[in-house]
Amino acid sequence: MNGFKKIVVFLMAFVLCCTAVACNKEEKTPDSSSGYGYIDQIQIEETDAELIAGGRSDYSVVIPENASVEIQFAASELVSAYDTSTGVKLSTITDSMASYSPENKYISIGNTSLFEEAGLTLRSDLGRSGVQMFTVGNILFLNGGSDSGALFAVYELLERTMGFMIYADDEIAVDHKSTVYFPSASGYAIPAVDAPIGSYYSNWNMSRYTRRMRMYSSEDWYIYKGGHNGFGIMPPDTYRSAHPDWYSPSGSQLCYSNYEMADQMIENIKVLIDADTEHNVMMIGIEDNRDWCTCDACLASKQKYGVDSAVHVKFMNYVVRHLNQWLEEERDGRKIEFVFFAYLSTLAPPVKMENGKYVPFDDSVVLEDNICPQYAPLDASFDRTFDHVDNKAVAETLNGWKAVSKKMYIWSYACNFNHYMVNFNNFNTMQANYKYLIERGVSYYMDQASYNTPTPCFEALRIFLMSRLMWDVDRDFNQLLDDFFTNYYKDAAPYMREYFDGIRNWYAYLETSKGLRTGSIYADIETTEFWPKAVLDMQLSTIDKAYEAIEYYKTVDPAMYEKLYSRINLESLSPRYLLCVLYENSYTPSGIKALRSAFKEDAIAHNLIRTREKESEFSQLYASWGV
């Protein structure tokens, strides 16, 4: 056994060196002419004027009279950061209490009356998340492409001037200062991805955390709702009895060759659009199954084009052209983006190959400019980059859809849905795959993860990395890791980083030396072949060192001890779970019961609900264990 451990340690150390070199990419200077990615044109200079000094401030934060939740939150985040840094709490007032003059001392957030009176306008290319800053006299204006963009402008200001950084909802750093000088700021920044959406349990179920990480939920983005909503727009209970041909013969999908149904859908969507003046994206999504309509028209389309998606693309063009005309003529030219799934039956695009390049099968399947396919790479190997030969189908699908559309949405994946308790093997590829997709015009990126339960799989780190890379995909990945571990785990950081790198390197060893594949979202990775007991014991030994590193906090700072202990303890549950389910025969009956009872106690403390996406409650597992 000791010899096996030495081999594992050697392999881990070797692969770590390779991994560190591979991930340490040179920083790129953002350039608005690059055509993709992060654009940074913000300039901030510290003036001689004092924003906060001597325990007081003459400045007030100004928000609109009927400020949205996002703007109110932006103001509270700004005030809280300055308060934490200096002990001075700026007052917040509405613009009805503020009079415009360049001599007045204000920080204005969002579309206040001061912004209008100053004659300022926003760029048209900010999207929803882009930020813009202006300084007029003593007034600093923070704004963005939306109220969310204005919030992100607050974060950009604080990050650049106050050392402010959000690592998790309960871990925020800011410099401590006695004097803060007024920052003269100008310019704009546009993130690499306008709509990053991470469906991890903690931020999926906590809107504050989502906002703090500069992310959105799908509900934040869509009119009505995103996802598989075709039956929501055209309810079978309402229409099917009178119009059975509007649905597939099996009743599991709409019939997208039926234009009588399309006309009714157009009217239904008009109602949904009028009911929601806040959002400007409308999903028309197929149902979440592999069935497709088999009527004569749908079959004829597939025979002609070779794929089921052609009939759906033509349907989308028909619906959206009618809606575009209505929006232009009757709704003051309101701009709406329409989205549909490239998924399951509609995965393959309606294209053909000419001279080594994908082109539209014919002009009828070229999408209107404001229609975006949302590609879900369900069968991707996420332990490989998307330009790897093993992901050739992903690259070809993307290239095919790019031949018929101007923009792409992505519904990607960041966990193994059959094995929530095991770390998903995408840490070494996530940055490269983000960049690959961003370079191909992706503006909306959703990573579907363990949305319905907390997991011991570095969830906070995953959210942090996604947040930082969706903003600027060229950031130094290793520097981000160092920054997170140092601030999130503090004294335990070296050991938690060792545990984390050990997982990455073990996966690399399994792939390169044994040919085991680990990156599928349904891979069977909960086996003794993947996780020898010696490896799990080594992981827990490293975690024990992390516990030892924070022991002194018990007496000097009990609250800090409890926070760090909880963070370490959560990650320990992954190898402990694998020992419980894979190695029952390696323990005495009393030993395995004690191991499982301790696991249960800690899992309940962390609110772990499921071991997989569907039909696998922990309560059932505990019952089978007899604990």
Side-chain angles (χ1 to χ4, degrees):
M1 186 64 73
N2 289 335
F4 176 78
K5 287 185 178 181
K6 289 179 181 178
I7 292 173
V8 171
V9 170
F10 172 79
L11 288 170
M12 286 183 170
F14 172 77
V15 180
L16 175 59
C17 294
C18 298
T19 302
V21 172
C23 291
N24 189 15
K25 298 183 177 182
E26 183 180 353
E27 290 279 0
K28 289 178 64 179
T29 303
D31 180 359
S32 61
S33 66
S34 64
Y36 79 93
Y38 174 56
I39 299 172
D40 179 10
Q41 299 294 326
I42 291 177
Q43 295 182 341
I44 301 178
E45 295 182 1
E46 190 178 83
T47 69
D48 294 332
E50 294 174 342
L51 174 60
I52 298 172
R56 62 181 301 276
S57 177
D58 294 328
Y59 278 80
S60 297
V61 177
V62 182
I63 61 176
E65 181 69 23
N66 296 308
S68 67
V69 172
E70 283 80 10
I71 295 295
Q72 294 178 52
F73 185 66
S76 69
E77 291 284 85
L78 183 67
V79 169
S80 176
Y82 281 135
D83 187 17
T84 300
S85 174
T86 68
V88 176
K89 188 173 184 177
L90 301 183
S91 62
T92 301
I93 61 175
T94 62
D95 49 14
S96 64
M97 303 168 62
S99 59
Y100 175 72
S101 168
E103 302 303 314
N104 292 337
K105 297 181 177 181
Y106 297 132
I107 301 177
S108 167
I109 302 177
N111 294 315
T112 62
S113 59
L114 302 180
F115 187 84
E116 182 179 355
E117 291 178 62
L120 302 174
T121 56
L122 292 168
R123 297 176 58 91
S124 62
D125 59 351
L126 294 177
R128 184 166 177 174
S129 297
V131 308
Q132 196 162 357
M133 303 180 186
F134 310 81
T135 303
V136 180
N138 293 324
I139 306 177
L140 174 61
F141 293 93
L142 304 176
N143 213 334
S146 68
D147 287 349
S148 294
L151 168 62
F152 303 159
V154 167
Y155 289 146
E156 280 295 292
L157 174 75
L158 292 172
E159 184 177 326
R160 294 166 188 250
T161 63
M162 301 294 292
F164 181 89
M165 182 61 63
I166 301 174
Y167 298 97
D169 189 63
D170 60 349
E171 190 62 56
I172 302 175
V174 64
D175 294 341
H176 290 278
K177 298 183 177 184
S178 58
T179 301
V180 176
Y181 292 96
F182 179 72
S184 177
S186 63
Y188 67 98
I190 301 174
V193 174
D194 197 38
I197 298 177
S199 66
Y200 297 90
Y201 182 85
S202 53
N203 72 319
W204 194 247
N205 294 278
M206 190 188 306
S207 59
R208 184 182 70 178
Y209 194 7
T210 299
R211 291 191 184 102
R212 281 182 166 168
M213 303 315 291
R214 309 190 196 190
M215 292 183 179
Y216 300 90
S217 70
S218 58
E219 287 76 12
D220 292 330
W221 201 254
Y222 287 109
I223 296 169
Y224 180 46
K225 60 182 178 181
H228 307 284
N229 64 359
F231 281 6
I233 301 170
M234 300 296 300
D237 289 347
T238 302
Y239 298 110
R240 192 178 180 194
S241 61
H243 304 282
D245 57 331
W246 290 7
Y247 301 84
S248 65
S250 67
S252 59
Q253 291 283 356
L254 293 171
C255 172
Y256 290 99
S257 64
N258 191 306
Y259 285 80
E260 181 184 41
M261 184 273 286
D263 290 335
Q264 183 61 57
M265 178 181 279
I266 290 167
E267 297 307 311
N268 292 357
I269 292 175
K270 288 178 181 179
V271 174
L272 294 171
I273 289 173
D274 280 342
D276 187 342
T277 58
E278 180 182 357
H279 303 109
N280 292 304
V281 181
M282 179 75 203
M283 165 67 83
I284 304 174
I286 64 171
E287 300 310 298
D288 193 9
N289 61 66
R290 294 182 180 273
D291 296 336
W292 198 246
C293 184
T294 56
C295 73
D296 290 345
C298 287
L299 289 176
S301 176
K302 185 169 185 176
Q303 184 176 12
K304 177 180 179 179
Y305 292 94
V307 293
D308 287 317
S309 64
V311 71
H312 195 28
V313 165
K314 290 184 176 184
F315 179 91
M316 288 294 299
N317 275 336
Y318 177 86
V319 168
V320 171
R321 284 166 184 159
H322 282 78
L323 289 169
N324 284 344
Q325 182 177 357
W326 169 74
L327 289 165
E328 181 64 32
E329 295 176 356
E330 301 184 39
R331 293 300 181 269
D332 298 322
R334 183 179 172 186
K335 303 299 182 184
I336 303 290
E337 199 162 73
F338 295 89
V339 184
F340 70 99
F341 273 121
Y343 172 71
L344 297 180
S345 295
T346 59
L347 179 66
V351 295
K352 58 186 176 182
M353 184 71 72
E354 287 186 357
N355 300 320
K357 182 180 179 181
Y358 284 114
V359 297
F361 193 94
D362 58 38
D363 290 343
S364 71
V365 293
V366 176
L367 287 159
E368 291 290 304
D369 288 352
N370 61 326
I371 302 178
C372 302
Q374 182 164 25
Y375 172 40
L378 195 66
D379 297 323
S381 294
F382 289 93
D383 56 326
R384 299 286 195 263
T385 56
F386 287 157
D387 58 359
H388 191 279
V389 64
D390 291 345
N391 279 320
K392 182 180 179 181
V394 174
E396 290 182 345
T397 301
L398 281 166
N399 290 334
W401 281 111
K402 283 295 293 178
V404 298
S405 60
K406 289 186 176 294
K407 288 177 65 175
M408 291 286 293
Y409 278 34
I410 291 293
W411 184 308
S412 192
Y413 304 96
C415 74
N416 187 312
F417 290 98
N418 287 336
H419 302 288
Y420 273 170
M421 295 294 291
V422 183
N423 266 282
F424 189 55
N425 187 19
N426 71 332
F427 279 114
N428 293 343
T429 60
M430 62 188 303
Q431 182 177 30
N433 285 342
Y434 286 167
K435 187 170 183 178
Y436 183 88
L437 294 168
I438 288 166
E439 288 175 342
R440 284 153 180 79
V442 171
S443 61
Y444 173 108
Y445 196 114
M446 176 176 177
D447 254 344
Q448 183 178 348
S450 51
Y451 59 91
N452 54 356
T453 182
T455 65
C457 296
F458 288 102
E459 184 171 296
L461 171 62
R462 291 176 185 277
I463 294 170
F464 173 77
L465 291 171
M466 183 178 183
S467 170
R468 302 302 290 169
L469 294 172
M470 289 286 106
W471 194 265
D472 178 3
V473 75
D474 289 316
R475 284 186 162 120
D476 187 301
F477 189 77
N478 282 323
Q479 184 177 331
L480 291 176
L481 291 177
D482 290 341
D483 192 25
F484 179 86
F485 276 92
T486 298
N487 285 276
Y488 192 73
Y489 291 109
K490 305 189 189 309
D491 301 67
Y495 306 108
M496 294 306 293
R497 180 65 185 271
E498 180 183 341
Y499 168 61
F500 168 77
D501 285 335
I503 294 169
R504 298 163 69 198
N505 299 331
W506 178 247
Y507 273 132
Y509 167 72
L510 291 176
E511 292 167 4
T512 57
S513 299
K514 293 196 171 188
L516 297 177
R517 299 310 309 276
T518 61
S520 164
I521 63 175
Y522 297 117
D524 185 13
I525 59 173
E526 205 171 289
T527 68
T528 55
E529 184 178 20
F530 278 94
W531 300 106
K533 188 174 184 297
V535 171
L536 301 175
D537 288 340
M538 288 172 60
Q539 291 177 346
L540 290 174
S541 175
T542 302
I543 286 175
D544 284 341
K545 294 176 185 177
Y547 284 134
E548 292 171 9
I550 65 167
E551 186 71 17
Y552 77 97
Y553 279 117
K554 276 186 178 179
T555 54
V556 301
D557 190 344
M560 178 62 73
Y561 175 79
E562 290 298 326
K563 180 166 73 171
L564 295 177
Y565 179 89
S566 178
R567 292 172 178 176
I568 297 167
N569 182 257
L570 173 62
E571 298 308 321
S572 79
L573 291 173
S574 179
R576 289 165 63 191
Y577 167 82
L578 289 169
L579 286 173
C580 287
V581 299
L582 297 179
Y583 292 100
E584 178 178 4
N585 294 333
S586 297
Y587 298 88
T588 63
S590 61
I592 190 64
K593 185 170 184 178
L595 186 71
R596 288 170 170 175
S597 294
F599 173 88
K600 175 183 176 181
E601 181 179 354
D602 288 340
I604 289 174
H606 291 288
N607 192 34
L608 269 60
I609 302 166
R610 299 174 178 272
T611 63
R612 58 189 294 170
E613 183 182 18
K614 298 176 181 178
E615 300 174 357
S616 184
E617 300 286 336
F618 265 105
S619 58
Q620 299 167 333
L621 183 63
Y622 303 147
S624 71
W625 285 350
V627 297

